Each structure stands twice: as C-alpha cells, then as structure tokens.
Amino acid sequence: MTARVQQLADAGDVTGLDRSLHHLCADIDGDRDFEGGQLIGPLRAMPTSTRVLLLRRMTDGLEETAVHDPGRCRGLASLIVLLAHGLSAEQLAAWREPLMAEAAGEMTLWEGWRLTCLVEVEQAAGRTLPDPVVATVRRTALTSETPGGLRPLASTILEPVLNPGEPWAERVITDLTGAAPAWHALVAHALTATGSRPTGKWQRLGHGLLANVGPDRARGAMTSWLAPAGEPRTTPVNSHHRTGTAEFELDPFNARALQGLAALLALTPAHPQSAAALGQLVEAALIRLPGIGWRSPRTAGAAVHALTQLGDEDAYAELSRLAGTVKYRPTLRAVSAALAGRTPRRPSP
C-alpha cells in the first residue's frame, strides 16, 4: 500500500489517492500510525496545492462515509489532520474557509467528522476558532446523531462562556467580561444542569457558588440575563430542522444555561423580580415555531419547577397567571400540579 500511495502522490493523482486512502482506513483497523508513519511522508511531500485539493476531497467524503461505513471516519479524520500538519493558515485557506463559512451559518451540521478535523487542525496550529464556529461545534456535539469526535473536543473550548447570537447570551458574555472568577463559576455551573429538576448535589454546589457572589447580587444579574430570552437571534443561522432561518430557534447549548440559571434563581431569597423573570422564561420557552413546534419545553419545565421551589406569594401568583395562558399541555399540567400542591399559609395569630 505504501508503494501505491507513493506512486499516486508522485503523479499528483488526487482522485486515486482519495480512493486508496479510503480503502486504507478500512484496512488498518485502528492503526493510527498508518504503517509506522511511512504513508505520511509521500503525502506531505506533494505540492501545497495538491495537498489542499486532497484535503478537500477527503473531507467532503467524510459525510458519505459516515452514512455507509462510519468505522472508517476516525481513521480518515486522523489522516486528514496529519495531512494538514505544517501548512500555514494562508496555505490551508482553500480548505479551511469553506468549512468555517459553512459552520458559522448553521445551527448544527448533520455530520460531525468534518468539524472534528477542522477543530483538531486549528488547535494543533495554536489558532482560535471564531466564536460562530465554536457555537456550531458545541451545538453539533450536543444534538448530532453522528457527532464524530466533537464531544470531547467541544468540552475543551471554554470561551466564550455561552454561544453568541442570542440577545440574552450576549448580555451574559458582556457582563462576565472582566468579572470576578466567582461569576464565571456560577454560569459554568448553570451549564451543567440536566433536565428540569436539579439534583440535591447540584443544588448544594449552587448554594455555595451563590454565596461567593452574594445571593441578592446574583438574583439581580440573573433576572436581567433572563429578560431577553424571548427575543429573536441577533445573528440568524439556518435551522437545525431545515425549516429556513432560525430566528427564534433556541441554541441547545445556551438552553442548558437557561435551565441552570432558572434553578439557581430558585435558590436565592424569594423576590418579585425572580417570579416575574421565571414566568417570562416559561412564555419565552413556549413560543410556537412554524414547522417545528414548541421552542423549548424542557426550559419551560425548569422555570415552572423553579417557581414551585420559590414558593412565595409572588411565585404562586405567577403560576396562576401562567395557568390561564400556557397552551402546551405538559407544562400546563405541571403548573396545575404546582398550584394544587400548594400548602396554605397559616393565618397569623
């Protein structure tokens, strides 16, 4: 196989190389050294323009490979990264820029391996991914059925703290610029929320983080962050559901932070601002999107649970209001159950 690759590389036969390397990745069965590295030398010795053309050909083929023979994808991705090694950003521009533009314009990409290659090459070269590309990497890692190697890579990207493109998230990013580490830790904890009902351990950690910034200060900040949650995106992208422009579609990465912030708000002293913010979040999460359905029922459930945990007069007044406005039945049932389970306050002596 090495001799065949050498022959094709010497001839600049990109089509033949692409075909041979795809077959190779099926044959090596996990051997990421590619025959002790002997295959990489001839490929890197090709002219830059030929290397970039081969990179594009191989990367374009990853999506089809993921459908028909997903076992080859890891080997192909590794080979693509090795092939790109040593080329400058300018030399790689013909390969990188189309991938960057595609990623920046989508809510998610169906196939994660192409993005995996891009991220690995950028990180290996010490470059920083543009924020819109980071956002698509995170969203694809969360939602794609074939995320490739994106999930572990996405977990290493810590900035920006949230994905830009939504007014509420951009307010958080702005407020956290230059803020004390305790604020960053609070938002990072919000991102670890799963589902609408946080665990006891998660709540205990949340109490400690709230104490570090001050519960009242945290409440003021979080209610201001949640206020624009119902506004349209500042930078529209193509819908994950292929229904056109995602103007109101909620970023799935940011949605976890919304759910976490709702849960944290329930751990602060009850206040009319908290109840109002959580009620507005329920309505923002239940915007009906044409061709998609309800915007984020899980976020609505998290906000209802937070209102129930607050448990003061303002919270129950907000739940009563929502009982007359919510149309999504599971959330309406949760609101009704919260109201039915309310413990009457004892009259003052």
Side-chain angles (χ1 to χ4, degrees), residues 304-328:
V304 170
H305 183 68
L307 281 167
T308 308
Q309 279 197 301
L310 279 176
D312 69 328
E313 293 296 328
D314 294 305
Y316 279 107
E318 199 63 33
L319 287 166
S320 297
R321 183 185 71 80
L322 291 170
T325 61
V326 168
K327 304 300 180 184
Y328 181 65

Side-chain angles (χ1 to χ4, degrees), residues 156-288:
T156 67
I157 303 173
L158 304 180
E159 295 293 338
V161 62
L162 296 177
N163 289 342
E166 295 178 334
W168 83 269
E170 291 176 351
R171 179 175 293 183
V172 176
I173 293 169
T174 298
D175 286 355
L176 262 58
T177 301
W183 286 100
H184 290 265
L186 189 69
V187 176
H189 187 60
L191 278 164
T192 66
T194 55
S196 59
R197 294 174 177 266
T199 64
K201 179 180 179 181
W202 190 94
Q203 289 178 308
R204 286 192 296 274
L205 289 171
H207 273 297
L209 294 168
L210 287 166
N212 289 340
V213 300
D216 290 334
R217 291 182 64 203
R219 184 202 67 243
M222 291 189 292
T223 54
S224 72
W225 294 343
L226 295 182
E231 296 179 8
R233 291 183 58 85
T234 55
T235 53
V237 293
N238 293 324
S239 169
H240 169 73
H241 302 277
R242 304 299 181 257
T243 55
T245 301
E247 188 176 14
F248 282 94
E249 198 172 320
L250 192 59
D251 184 306
F253 181 84
N254 289 349
R256 295 189 309 171
L258 281 175
Q259 294 154 25
L261 289 172
L264 286 169
L265 199 53
L267 303 179
T268 63
H271 191 279
Q273 286 181 343
S274 300
L278 290 168
Q280 291 171 2
L281 181 58
V282 172
E283 293 172 321
L286 294 181
I287 294 172
R288 192 78 179 265

Side-chain angles (χ1 to χ4, degrees), residues 60-79:
D60 288 343
L62 273 172
E63 187 165 333
E64 184 177 351
T65 304
V67 175
H68 299 292
D69 192 359
R72 298 189 193 187
C73 285
R74 179 67 265 179
L76 283 170
S78 298
L79 189 52

